[in-house]
Amino acid sequence: MALTQDELLAEFEGMTLIQLSEFVKAFEEKFDVTAAAAVAVAGPAGPAAPAEAAEEKDEFDVILTGAGEKKIQVIKVVRELTSLGLKEAKDLVDGTPKPVLEKVNKEAADKAAEALKGAGASVEVK
């Protein structure tokens, strides 16, 4: 039975960013396509460009840059933050630098960074 678009979206909604990323990679390989974002071609920037640069960023990525000496503690924190399984969390920690959380608000990014730093990891918030 084929799933409707709404049913597919409901399934994707329940997935973590890492699970969605893995799905996209598998989809690209299966159908030999790429899921690149469309890029709009714009003319030369006018006087509005400096105003746009002054806007405050509202989405942040928490990137694990190193596990430190307490790798097991870092894996536990990654699991808490992402709801990944043990193997996926270990692979993420082993493959640093990797994003732990993507496009989260400032409070969530700071909280996650503090939790990871408290476990002994090196973290970068972008």
Side-chain angles (χ1 to χ4, degrees):
M1 179 172 128
L3 296 174
T4 67
Q5 184 175 0
D6 290 334
E7 291 170 333
L8 282 172
L9 289 173
E11 285 295 318
F12 291 142
E13 189 174 53
M15 298 173 80
T16 65
L17 290 176
I18 292 176
Q19 290 170 326
L20 283 171
S21 174
E22 290 170 353
F23 170 78
V24 169
K25 287 178 189 172
F27 186 90
E28 289 174 343
E29 289 174 9
K30 172 84 175 173
F31 297 104
D32 194 30
V33 296
T34 58
V39 178
V41 178
E52 290 175 12
E55 287 182 27
E56 188 172 331
K57 187 175 177 181
D58 62 349
E59 290 184 340
F60 297 87
D61 295 341
V62 180
I63 300 170
L64 181 66
T65 57
E69 294 179 15
K70 299 179 182 177
K71 187 171 152 183
I72 293 172
Q73 290 301 109
V74 174
I75 292 170
K76 287 180 181 179
V77 173
V78 167
R79 288 188 69 198
E80 291 171 9
L81 293 172
T82 62
S83 71
L84 289 175
L86 180 60
K87 182 182 181 330
E88 291 84 4
K90 181 183 180 303
D91 291 345
L92 189 145
V93 171
D94 287 342
T96 57
K98 287 225 176 169
V100 176
L101 297 175
E102 295 176 318
K103 297 182 181 178
V104 295
N105 64 29
K106 178 74 171 161
E107 287 179 30
D110 289 341
K111 187 175 179 181
E114 287 303 315
L116 287 164
K117 286 178 184 175
S122 303
V123 181
E124 191 175 297
V125 177
K126 290 186 178 183

